[in-house]
Amino acid sequence: MAKTMMRPVDWDGGRLRPLGIDEVRLDGGFWGHRQRLNGEVILDHCESWMERLGWIGNFRDPAAPHRGREFSDSEIYKLLEGLSWEAGRTGDAEFDRRVNRLAETVAAAQEPDGYLNTRWHANRYTDLEWGHELYCYGHLIQAGVARLRSAGDDDVLVGVARRAADHVCREFGASGRQGVCGHPEIEMALVELYRATGQERYLEQARLFVERRGRPALSDIHLGRAYFQDDMPVRRARTFRGHAVRALYLASGAVDVAVETGDDELLAAVIAQWERTIAARTYLTGGMGSRHSGEAFGEDWELPSDRAYAETCAGVASVMLSWRLLLATGDARYADLAERTLYNVVAASPAIDGRAFFYANPLQVRVPGRAPDPDAENPRVESPLRAPWFSVACCPNNLVRTLASLSGYIATRDDDGVQLHQLVPCSVDTTLPDGRRVGLRVETGYPWSGAVTVRVEHTDGGPWRLSMRIPPWAGHGEPGRRSMVEEREWRPGDEVRLDLPMRPRWTRPDPRIDAVRGCVAVERGPLVYCAESLGDEPPLAGLSVDTSVPPAERPADESGLDGVLISVAARTAGSAAGTWPYGDPPPTPAGGNDANGANGANGATLVPYHLWGNRGPATMRVWLPEDSA
């Protein structure tokens, strides 16, 4: 089968053109390891759980009682997308067979007019607010696009997706039903299908869905129409609000529509919403969504650590939106947020062995959780320990498709040359718009090391420009400098080296974030760190840090975790013993430090946030009170 360019997002209308997973190969390192784990473990783990629970079986007998939630079909489609990208990435015939086998199962449940849903087939479109029918189509279409781009043939999965999309256009077109889905997603899927096939009706349907929302298009609910982003038109909104995943998926679809239709007003509206959301509604980790109620964004500065929801799916959606905005504008700040979110939200979800996951990603856990039953669904997404599976299992399957296609979010090209936005060990083999071939090899130990070397492997001659993003925390000695750029007539063997300062640093919050006022956090490179207390170790509730002493690196082998650990000067206050917690401050324990202080009397060891919870039940906190004694 002849492959096409394998890009998760494929467009020509923006400032930059993305390089696909056939042009960028991850060569080990932080993300290469996780991509390999995804292919060897996580994909099988997800498929086996969905087979065992009957979610795949729903397609074999749609007339039988439905198993799983009303949106369980979407999880099979996300798995199909991940398998399609993995088949294209590796060329492994077994992945190809798995795609076809599962696609045949799905195809058997599709009705003659293209309708496909194992929960609502007898009651079509009777509950657009909660039914998720169009949302499920969105993931089916994205799986079909992944298959078309990675295999190049109009096979079973592609045919199912196209028939479903055509059905949607007939049912919800300009003269059809005037509703939208309570859960946005289909908008960006339809635009990608338009890009893959050139069929204008898919782009027009996506535009209709974006423009209808907020008129309103859905019934009111107890959480309010903002939960659905249906309280006002997309163009009028000033920030992201309501359900975080829904908001970010809708924004991604709106950017797609804006770029393809040349709608600069719509693009500017989404950019303004992104800017305010980043300025006042985003966690240090890049996590989005501060309310468990409605899995939603809170108000400006409402960012509590222990009640942070910061769903893994919202992290995935944020990366998808950041990538689209980067392609549309060329502005490095979108790659900055993508980096922060990837390393501190997306990477935090899977356990080291790839067989358990975080759904929510709080920045503080006060009570150690119990180890979940490895053979049971976890009904609670707020679990302080990673669970092998959830009753709502959107996050593991979102990880599957993201990790399988991750190399498609690394680099771009334009008329002048190649841009490296994420600093990962990889090989790049692409063709510039004028037809010249360029090959690069990136070597780095990032994020543990700040040294990045780019070697030119081959080039067809003539000058072109190589750009590498410099993260904002690095500065590289020049305020405002955001990239290293070299333009010359390159020769094979030429090298460019970037050395980023990787010293641990204190980070203080905006004082308007009242939940963490008077606290500090520690970052090193792109990584956020946290204090973790295991088992019988002292609790973290009374821990405070002395910021007059700089945080320092320490060997990692003492922890059993890979990476770099950080030591900070700290003390732990004595246990609570008063009758009223307000008034004069309690006396300082003799000697300044409690002899039972966490990690010893004079210090605490911090671990990378993405690794916490891998050694068993623990308490954890990112923001540490600053010692005022």
Side-chain angles (χ1 to χ4, degrees):
M1 290 185 292
K3 297 179 181 178
T4 61
M5 290 298 185
M6 294 186 284
R7 303 182 181 108
V9 179
D10 191 8
W11 63 18
D12 290 312
R15 167 68 179 80
L16 303 174
R17 182 163 176 77
L19 301 189
I21 65 176
D22 51 342
E23 296 171 288
V24 180
R25 184 183 72 244
L26 300 183
D27 295 330
F30 187 98
W31 290 111
H33 163 72
R34 284 160 175 79
Q35 189 175 70
R36 185 173 64 253
L37 183 71
N38 185 58
E40 295 175 356
V41 177
I42 302 177
L43 277 160
D44 291 346
H45 179 91
C46 292
E47 185 170 7
S48 65
W49 268 97
M50 291 190 289
E51 188 67 76
R52 170 186 163 189
L53 294 173
W55 299 2
I56 296 176
N58 287 330
F59 291 90
R60 298 190 182 103
D61 188 2
H66 186 269
R67 287 159 290 185
R69 292 293 300 271
E70 63 274 18
F71 41 75
S72 64
D73 289 3
S74 71
E75 307 310 335
I76 283 76
Y77 302 149
K78 282 184 240 177
L79 176 68
L80 273 167
E81 183 183 348
L83 286 168
S84 295
W85 290 127
E86 196 70 12
R89 183 182 74 83
T90 63
D92 189 325
E94 178 56 28
F95 284 117
D96 199 63
R97 285 190 289 270
R98 287 171 67 180
V99 171
N100 285 325
R101 186 167 59 243
L102 189 52
E104 292 281 1
T105 299
V106 169
Q110 190 168 34
E111 299 186 29
D113 67 346
Y115 182 86
L116 177 56
N117 191 282
T118 66
R119 168 64 177 84
W120 297 105
H121 52 90
N123 299 283
R124 297 183 181 189
Y125 309 122
T126 55
D127 188 358
L128 289 175
E129 287 76 21
W130 300 106
H132 289 77
E133 285 158 287
L134 293 171
Y135 167 80
C136 290
Y137 285 140
H139 283 298
L140 170 61
I141 292 166
Q142 288 195 304
V145 170
R147 183 63 172 167
L148 184 59
R149 288 177 176 162
S150 59
D153 284 359
D154 216 346
D155 69 353
V156 173
L157 178 56
V158 177
V160 171
R162 293 187 69 162
R163 286 192 294 275
D166 289 340
H167 166 81
V168 170
C169 292
R170 289 193 302 270
E171 288 286 322
F172 290 87
S175 59
R177 303 171 190 265
Q178 296 302 295
V180 300
C181 189
H183 198 312
E185 209 286 336
I186 193 171
E187 296 83 357
M188 56 179 161
L190 285 168
V191 177
E192 287 301 334
L193 186 58
Y194 156 72
R195 291 168 176 159
T197 65
Q199 297 298 312
E200 293 279 349
R201 63 183 177 277
Y202 302 137
L203 175 60
E204 174 59 14
Q205 188 61 56
R207 188 192 68 80
L208 287 173
F209 281 144
V210 170
E211 296 295 353
R212 284 176 188 165
R213 195 170 293 270
R215 300 289 173 189
L218 298 165
S219 299
D220 204 359
I221 58 169
H222 67 287
L223 292 167
R225 286 196 176 95
Y227 175 83
F228 300 131
Q229 295 75 48
D230 194 41
D231 54 326
M232 66 182 71
V234 173
R235 297 170 191 273
R236 285 179 45 203
R238 296 184 60 205
T239 189
F240 299 148
R241 71 255 177 252
H243 188 281
V245 180
R246 285 167 162 86
L248 293 163
Y249 279 170
L250 177 61
S252 295
V255 171
D256 284 335
V257 168
V259 169
E260 294 298 342
T261 61
D263 192 335
D264 293 339
E265 178 190 65
L266 180 58
L267 179 60
V270 177
I271 289 173
Q273 294 161 23
W274 183 92
E275 289 173 340
R276 180 165 174 180
T277 301
I278 301 311
R281 299 188 176 191
T282 302
Y283 284 98
L284 179 67
T285 56
M288 292 187 181
S290 60
R291 292 182 179 175
H292 285 239
S293 175
E295 302 180 309
F297 287 101
E299 297 299 323
D300 288 353
W301 318 113
E302 183 187 341
L303 295 165
S305 291
D306 54 344
R307 295 299 296 163
Y309 201 71
E311 184 182 341
T312 297
C313 282
V316 169
S318 176
V319 171
M320 294 169 71
L321 175 58
S322 293
W323 184 242
R324 284 164 166 79
L325 290 172
L326 171 67
L327 297 177
T329 67
D331 192 329
R333 60 184 175 159
Y334 302 116
D336 295 337
L337 181 65
E339 176 184 75
R340 179 175 293 276
T341 308
L342 282 167
Y343 282 102
N344 300 295
V345 177
V346 176
S349 182
I352 289 176
D353 66 0
R355 292 183 171 87
F357 310 89
F358 279 139
Y359 187 113
N361 294 278
L363 280 70
Q364 181 174 2
V365 172
R366 297 177 182 273
V367 179
R370 290 185 178 182
D373 184 341
D375 296 317
E377 294 175 88
N378 190 332
R380 296 180 60 251
V381 301
E382 304 93 341
S383 173
L385 285 174
R386 294 174 179 87
W389 201 248
F390 300 93
S391 300
V392 177
C394 49
C395 295
N397 291 297
N398 238 346
L399 280 171
V400 158
R401 67 184 187 130
T402 302
L403 292 173
S405 61
L406 188 62
S407 55
Y409 293 87
I410 302 300
T412 59
R413 68 171 182 254
D414 63 10
D415 290 341
D416 298 316
V418 175
Q419 303 81 38
L420 300 174
H421 302 286
Q422 302 301 332
L423 306 176
V424 299
C426 64
S427 299
V428 176
D429 189 346
T430 189
T431 302
L432 299 179
D434 62 9
R436 287 180 295 159
R437 188 175 169 216
V438 169
L440 304 172
R441 184 173 180 83
V442 183
E443 297 177 349
T444 180
Y446 195 82
W448 313 116
S449 164
V452 184
T453 299
V454 181
R455 181 180 302 108
V456 176
E457 297 283 287
H458 55 259
T459 178
D460 289 341
W464 51 271
R465 183 180 299 166
L466 173 63
S467 302
M468 279 190 287
R469 179 182 61 91
I470 297 177
W473 48 263
H476 212 62
E478 298 180 25
R481 184 179 178 190
R482 298 308 321 283
S483 62
M484 173 181 282
V485 180
E486 282 207 32
E487 182 171 5
R488 53 175 147 131
E489 188 162 342
W490 300 91
R491 300 180 184 279
D494 285 351
E495 290 186 350
V496 175
R497 183 178 175 90
L498 181 64
D499 287 296
L500 302 174
M502 301 297 284
R503 294 180 298 276
R505 61 192 185 276
W506 298 114
T507 298
R508 287 181 169 81
D510 188 298
R512 290 170 288 187
I513 307 174
D514 53 356
V516 292
R517 192 177 295 134
C519 295
V520 294
V522 174
E523 297 181 87
R524 180 184 182 275
L527 301 180
V528 173
Y529 277 70
C530 66
E532 181 184 40
S533 181
L534 302 170
D536 296 330
E537 294 176 1
L540 301 173
L543 186 71
S544 60
V545 295
D546 181 0
T547 55
S548 68
V549 181
E553 297 176 13
R554 61 177 291 179
D557 55 3
E558 299 175 20
S559 72
L561 297 175
D562 293 332
V564 177
L565 304 184
I566 303 296
S567 288
V568 294
R571 67 171 188 163
T572 301
S575 60
T579 59
W580 184 244
Y582 307 102
D584 294 333
T588 302
N593 287 322
D594 185 350
N596 295 316
N599 295 285
N602 297 305
T605 299
L606 309 185
V607 302
Y609 174 80
H610 73 268
L611 289 174
W612 92 271
N614 275 290
R615 295 176 290 169
T619 58
M620 179 274 295
R621 65 187 304 169
V622 167
W623 290 105
L624 307 171
E626 193 165 2
D627 192 350
S628 58

